[in-house]
Amino acid sequence: MQDDSAESSPEFRVGQRVHSANDPRRIGTVKYVGPIEGHAGEWVGVDWDAGEAKHDGSVNGIRYFQAGSDRSGSFVRAKVISPGISVVRALELRYRTDSTKEEEDEMYVFSASNKRVSVQLVGKDKIQDKLSRFEELTGASLSYLGVSTPGDPGQIRTAVPNLKELDLTGNLLSEWKDVSTICEQLPALAALNLSNNLMSLDICGQAQLKSIRILVLNDTGIKWTQIEKLKHSLPAIEELHLMGNNISTIEPTSSSVVQGYDSLRLLNLEDNCIAEWDEILKLSQIRGLEQLHLNKNNLNRIYYPHNTRIHEFLGGNESQKERKLFTNLRCLLLGGNNIEDLASVDALNSFPKLVDIRLSENPVADPGRGGIPRFVLIARLAKVEILNGSEVSPRERKDSEIRYVRLIMSKLHDPQEIKQVHPRFAELKNFHGIEDERPSVGVASLQKMASGLLSITLKCVGATMGEKPPLTKKLPATTTVGKLKSLSESFFKLKSIKPKLFLQEEGSPLPILLDDEMESLMDLGIGNGSTILIDEES
């Protein structure tokens, strides 16, 4: 407990959001107001968002409130916490007073990809005069200033009539009626960031958010049921960011799938708890949806329903029989999930317009965890143009597909197994004119041997190897990893150094360790023009 003699202090109510008077970033919720046995005067019990307090809401065996964790609660005098300030007061603090370097670093808005973009304050000497005339301001960042109220009626409209972007990250707002009041006074407002405000789950009436095109609600505690209630208040919404809200289910109100949101182009559900792909399919009828961000959820498989299954999923109406799912989806980010089966990778081919895919940090895309390398992903994904953030060039696609076909031919010989496990094999083999291996003699045999030579560039990267220029050698496709290690020792005169080989792939952030000495270049699907890095065993 923090004991200071009570002076004239603001009154607080249970449920109110507050911050420490000395630190607007230390935010909590009032859970108790009243006396504490054995201590004089009135106390305020606060449950702090970041924890790092003293107890769980009980003192000397008496429970006054239940804190969120064992040490997130504390009792303080009213004068050491703040109920917050109005929007216009925050504007004055941020833009009419001389700002420190730290404060200027905090002036940002969010881009379409939810990254911070600094608010441009060009020519600080000139800008102070401009900012004193708020009517010229089109973007404002009021993050972590303790904003808790819209202020007096009409005050915001008078002060900043031309505001288009407003960042209110980390403030004390919680009621949707207050957000509605702010937006009503800003007819030009198109982008609003409410991240890290603990928003109420109770949405009464219709919030006035009609001009908002970008709404960021990361870490606000909001669930999909509230998003459904906001639907009619957001007729112009194009981007909706809902990161970090522990969302596990998508709950449409009037049918089996989410309807409406006709202008929505980007939906960001990263860093949530969605485990079932059936929940994601409920978003499949948002017709304009082009980007769906699902990084860092708990998804373990993907599938694309066909024919009868779509018919059942959409409610069984005859009119739905020919309907497609995710008809305009171009970008699907699935990094950091638990996807490990190849059927999920192949299912991505069924999305009509999908060309930008992220699968990094999934078991299926991590060779170190038994997954497949980048070239196999490219070959299996017929339409992908951007994979894990890197562009797939026509050259990389061609090389990947040829390498993939040769890899399968070297390892599998049962046509039925190939057809079942590698659905694109026959198509790619025919497309690239790759012939089956056949015994041959004479001149044909010599030609076959020549065609089996691969141009491989070898680069030394070991710390004790010294600077050695890369070497490009023509090697038989049957060369094993063990043989290549011996050749490398000879080529680069690596005395008393045990080499370790890595395959460097275009577009792949990390090289792939070649650790099976019995596998050949052909077995590994290594193609013409590949680069092998030579490191040393630690």
Side-chain angles (χ1 to χ4, degrees):
M1 287 193 304
Q2 189 168 337
D3 193 354
D4 291 293
S5 58
E7 299 174 1
S8 177
S9 302
E11 293 184 1
F12 294 95
R13 68 181 190 282
V14 172
Q16 185 174 358
R17 298 284 283 164
V18 296
H19 68 75
S20 168
N22 297 321
D23 182 5
R25 289 177 173 271
R26 190 170 190 238
I27 298 171
T29 303
V30 174
K31 295 290 187 177
Y32 173 81
V33 179
I36 296 175
E37 188 172 312
H39 298 272
E42 186 171 81
W43 294 84
V44 182
V46 181
D47 187 14
W48 299 100
D49 292 358
E52 301 174 359
K54 298 184 177 180
H55 51 67
D56 66 353
S58 60
V59 176
N60 297 328
I62 301 173
R63 177 161 302 285
Y64 295 91
F65 66 94
Q66 181 62 59
S69 67
D70 291 342
R71 301 188 69 82
S72 64
S74 68
F75 289 101
V76 297
R77 294 294 192 188
K79 68 180 222 174
V80 302
I81 54 176
S82 170
I85 58 177
S86 71
V87 171
V88 171
R89 178 63 185 139
L91 283 163
E92 290 170 345
L93 286 174
R94 175 55 54 85
Y95 293 108
R96 276 197 175 140
T97 56
D98 289 335
S99 56
T100 65
K101 173 74 168 65
E102 184 181 42
E103 286 173 330
E104 287 175 8
D105 288 342
E106 283 301 324
M107 296 182 198
Y108 60 85
V109 291
F110 277 80
S111 70
S113 57
N114 202 34
K115 293 179 180 176
R116 293 182 180 184
V117 177
S118 296
V119 173
Q120 194 68 34
L121 300 183
V122 182
K124 190 173 175 184
D125 295 337
K126 296 179 181 178
I127 202 100
Q128 291 301 329
D129 177 59
K130 180 179 178 181
L131 293 180
S132 68
R133 302 191 306 275
F134 281 166
E135 67 273 9
E136 295 185 25
L137 205 61
T138 57
S141 172
L142 305 181
S143 55
Y144 295 100
L145 286 177
V147 175
S148 61
T149 173
D152 296 334
Q155 191 179 35
I156 300 172
R157 180 186 291 110
T158 302
V160 280
N162 296 307
L163 206 64
K164 296 177 181 177
E165 298 177 346
L166 178 58
D167 184 357
L168 289 167
T169 296
N171 282 288
L172 308 181
L173 295 165
S174 61
E175 298 299 328
W176 284 100
K177 61 179 177 58
D178 290 335
V179 175
S180 181
T181 300
I182 292 169
C183 293
E184 273 185 295
Q185 297 183 61
L186 297 171
L189 190 66
L192 177 63
N193 189 350
L194 294 170
S195 296
N196 293 102
N197 287 271
L198 189 60
M199 299 306 299
S200 170
L201 300 183
D202 183 20
I203 301 176
C204 297
Q206 190 164 322
Q208 299 301 313
L209 309 172
K210 292 192 179 350
S211 65
I212 299 296
R213 291 188 291 106
I214 302 171
L215 181 59
V216 186
L217 296 171
N218 299 336
D219 298 294
T220 57
I222 200 166
K223 305 300 179 191
W224 193 264
T225 48
Q226 283 74 48
I227 297 301
E228 287 286 316
K229 290 178 182 176
L230 287 172
K231 183 189 304 181
H232 299 296
S233 300
L234 294 165
I237 194 71
E238 296 176 10
E239 293 186 19
L240 185 56
H241 298 268
L242 303 171
M243 293 173 62
N245 286 307
N246 291 314
I247 294 171
S248 59
T249 57
I250 306 296
E251 298 161 320
T253 51
S254 56
S255 70
S256 59
V257 294
V258 174
Q259 297 180 330
Y261 284 114
D262 294 335
S263 58
L264 189 64
R265 302 287 177 267
L266 184 154
L267 178 59
N268 185 350
L269 286 163
E270 292 189 21
D271 198 19
N272 279 290
C273 306
I274 302 169
E276 299 297 329
W277 187 249
D278 281 357
E279 298 300 320
I280 302 305
L281 288 176
K282 295 174 185 177
L283 304 168
S284 63
Q285 294 302 294
I286 302 177
R287 296 305 182 80
L289 192 63
E290 296 175 359
Q291 298 185 53
L292 181 56
H293 297 188
L294 298 171
N295 294 328
K296 297 183 180 177
N297 276 273
N298 298 321
L299 296 164
N300 55 28
R301 75 171 185 131
I302 303 158
Y303 71 95
Y304 190 95
H306 290 282
N307 303 330
T308 305
R309 181 71 178 88
I310 292 180
H311 183 47
E312 292 170 357
F313 184 76
L314 296 177
N317 297 326
E318 288 297 315
S319 62
Q320 310 279 23
K321 273 189 175 178
E322 302 303 320
R323 184 168 290 188
K324 297 283 188 182
L325 309 182
F326 295 112
T327 51
N328 285 299
L329 192 68
R330 295 180 55 80
C331 172
L332 179 59
L333 305 186
L334 294 160
N337 280 279
N338 303 315
I339 300 162
E340 55 186 3
D341 65 308
L342 289 172
S344 290
V345 175
D346 296 334
L348 296 170
N349 286 315
S350 297
F351 291 72
K353 295 184 180 178
L354 188 59
V355 294
D356 184 352
I357 299 168
R358 180 174 290 278
L359 285 167
S360 52
E361 298 180 66
N362 280 280
V364 73
D366 183 354
R369 290 191 283 170
I372 56 179
R374 177 179 171 90
F375 82 91
V376 175
L377 285 171
I378 290 170
R380 295 187 83 114
L381 296 168
K383 299 191 291 281
V384 69
E385 296 173 5
I386 300 173
L387 179 62
N388 297 334
S390 296
E391 183 180 354
V392 179
S393 67
R395 164 77 183 273
E396 186 184 13
R397 172 161 291 287
K398 180 181 178 181
D399 289 350
S400 296
E401 290 175 349
I402 292 172
R403 184 176 165 191
Y404 170 69
V405 170
R406 285 178 173 159
L407 175 65
I408 297 166
M409 289 171 66
S410 71
K411 292 199 167 189
L412 297 177
H413 303 288
D414 179 356
Q416 201 58 37
E417 182 183 358
I418 290 176
K419 185 176 180 181
Q420 187 174 357
V421 182
H422 301 278
R424 296 199 70 218
F425 172 77
E427 170 199 344
L428 293 176
K429 182 169 174 287
N430 292 333
F431 179 78
H432 292 291
I434 300 171
E435 296 183 3
D436 292 321
E437 301 284 341
R438 291 188 181 88
S440 51
V441 292
V443 176
S445 178
L446 292 172
Q447 289 173 341
K448 181 63 185 172
M449 286 182 65
S451 67
L453 293 176
L454 302 175
S455 178
I456 303 294
T457 298
L458 304 170
K459 286 184 181 179
C460 287
V461 295
T464 65
M465 292 179 180
E467 290 201 17
K468 299 179 185 292
L471 287 177
T472 299
K473 295 286 184 178
K474 286 195 177 296
L475 302 171
T478 53
T479 305
T480 64
V481 171
K483 177 65 174 174
L484 187 55
K485 285 183 178 180
S486 299
L487 290 171
S488 298
E489 291 174 358
S490 173
F491 291 154
F492 292 104
K493 299 180 172 53
L494 303 177
K495 295 177 182 177
S496 67
I497 291 176
K498 191 175 180 184
K500 186 163 60 170
L501 305 184
F502 293 85
L503 175 63
Q504 185 176 53
E505 289 199 296
E506 182 183 348
S508 185
L510 294 172
I512 298 170
L513 175 64
L514 306 179
D515 56 354
D516 187 340
E517 297 204 353
M518 300 304 294
E519 283 197 301
S520 69
L521 300 180
M522 183 186 296
D523 292 336
L524 292 163
I526 293 175
N528 214 34
S530 295
T531 298
I532 304 282
L533 304 180
I534 305 166
D535 203 348
E536 54 196 270
E537 295 280 2
S538 54

